[in-house]
Amino acid sequence: MNEEFKNELKELVLQNNAYCVSIFMPAYRAGADVQQNPIRFKNLLRESEHQLVSLGMRQADAAELLRPGHDLLANGVFWRQQLGGLAVFISRDLFRFYSLPLHFEELAVVSDRFHLKSLLRLLEEDGRFYVLALSQKELRLFECTRFGVRRVEIQDAPRSIDEALKYDDPQRQLQYHTRAQGHGAGRRAAMFHGQGVGIDDNKSNILRYCLMIDEGMQKVLREENTPLVLAGVDYLLAIYREANSYPHLLKEGLAGNPDILSAEELQAKAWEIVQPIFKQKQEESMSKYRRLAGTGFASADIREIVPAARFGKVESLFLLLGRQLWGVFDPDRNEVIVHPEAQPGDQDLLDLAAVHTFIDGGDVYLVEEEQIGSDQSAAAVFRY
């Protein structure tokens, strides 16, 4: 997930207003359900207005607060450009919406802060990675997450092998020492000379091209520890790996001509490669929870988890996907009261724990029933 979105999420977290409206809904991209998108949103606006009034707001004031939502309702172009899920946030000081490739259950929440647990799915598995689509005709670099992709310009690298050779002196001696890499540390360094050692001209040219790309990539990926996936034909990827100096280049790549694939296709194929890497952290955290259960350093009791999250003690938090747990938390008395159904003034206690865990740098995972059990809504590992 890129830093821009993280910063936006933190801005939403810090919003503190008597009336913060959060709306989540599925927003279909095709088929008969597309026509239901604005109808579904209108119903959720109506539900939000009802909640505002039940909390003491005058109906006219509630309608005025929700005016940006009604304006969005009338935007026909907007409703034809959905990605699968819609999240909308409205307060006196802020109006923001996100069309996302996520499925949301219908939900309208009015509280003194925004309901953000569902958006934290975008931060799961620390899912940011790069794809370098490499061919002799075109060079493309993409920054990706599980849910999106954007192109990144490599300012100091040639865009094709023709451009590389145009500005590179073909008679200049090429010297190259392989560098230790994350997946090949310890192997003996090799040296290539562009003249007189039997390297055919084509391979020599490609190697020079790859070295120039690597030089540009060093500036883009400086201080990064993000996985990089190569996409290209086998012989080209093999040569690039010799030129590469980025330690987080993955051993597995996407073989084939990348020029025929869109950014979205490259992102989807590369996700299959990186997903196990990101999943590993979650699995290690879950193993730690099971190991520490019953020791006081882990808990599945929301009455213990919410205060721990509030005071920065939660290292890892697991929440059951699609579930809410309504109640109140009194920070002065450090007391949590759970209600069987939502009452005016209640908060989703799972969301409260998630937001505080996120603020204090903990990891939040939304999981399926089989991972923590259907009789539990949350589980947490504590820092101390």
Side-chain angles (χ1 to χ4, degrees), residues 337-384:
I337 300 174
V338 181
H339 295 143
E341 295 183 2
Q343 300 181 14
D346 274 3
Q347 299 186 67
D348 177 4
L349 297 171
L350 304 181
D351 185 75
L352 183 64
V355 166
H356 283 294
T357 300
F358 168 71
I359 291 173
D360 289 304
D363 296 315
V364 179
Y365 302 105
L366 301 185
V367 299
E368 304 289 346
E369 285 186 1
E370 59 267 20
Q371 293 176 267
I372 61 173
S374 59
D375 57 335
Q376 297 176 189
S377 298
V381 175
F382 302 143
R383 292 188 169 106
Y384 54 90

Side-chain angles (χ1 to χ4, degrees), residues 62-99:
E64 180 61 27
L65 179 67
L66 295 172
R67 181 191 295 272
H70 287 285
D71 292 341
L72 190 63
L73 186 63
N75 186 337
V77 174
F78 171 78
W79 293 106
R80 293 192 296 271
Q81 297 176 339
Q82 295 306 299
L83 298 176
L86 176 65
V88 178
F89 304 96
I90 307 173
S91 70
R92 286 196 174 99
D93 304 318
L94 182 145
F95 171 59
R96 191 163 294 167
F97 56 86
Y98 299 92
S99 295

Side-chain angles (χ1 to χ4, degrees), residues 9 58 86 123 135 158 161 186 197 218 246 277 279 328 339 379:
L9 192 55
R58 293 172 53 242
L86 176 65
L123 304 181
S135 76
I161 193 168
V197 294
Q218 289 178 35
Y246 183 61
I277 298 172
K279 273 291 184 184
V328 293
H339 295 143

Side-chain angles (χ1 to χ4, degrees), residues 189-203:
M191 176 181 287
F192 297 92
H193 296 274
Q195 300 173 6
V197 294
I199 299 178
D200 63 80
D201 290 341
N202 187 46
K203 182 176 180 181

Side-chain angles (χ1 to χ4, degrees), residues 9-26:
L9 192 55
K10 288 177 181 177
E11 183 181 349
L12 291 172
V13 166
L14 295 174
Q15 283 289 314
N16 192 357
N17 194 296
Y19 303 105
C20 292
V21 179
S22 308
I23 293 174
F24 296 88
M25 57 170 274

Side-chain angles (χ1 to χ4, degrees), residues 147-158:
F147 304 106
V149 57
R150 74 177 184 93
R151 185 162 181 173
V152 178
E153 293 300 325
I154 313 174
Q155 297 293 340
D156 298 317

Side-chain angles (χ1 to χ4, degrees), residues 324-344:
Q324 289 81 45
L325 191 63
W326 302 103
V328 293
F329 170 56
D330 184 344
D332 295 326
R333 301 173 62 182
N334 211 32
E335 182 181 24
V336 175
I337 300 174
V338 181
H339 295 143
E341 295 183 2
Q343 300 181 14

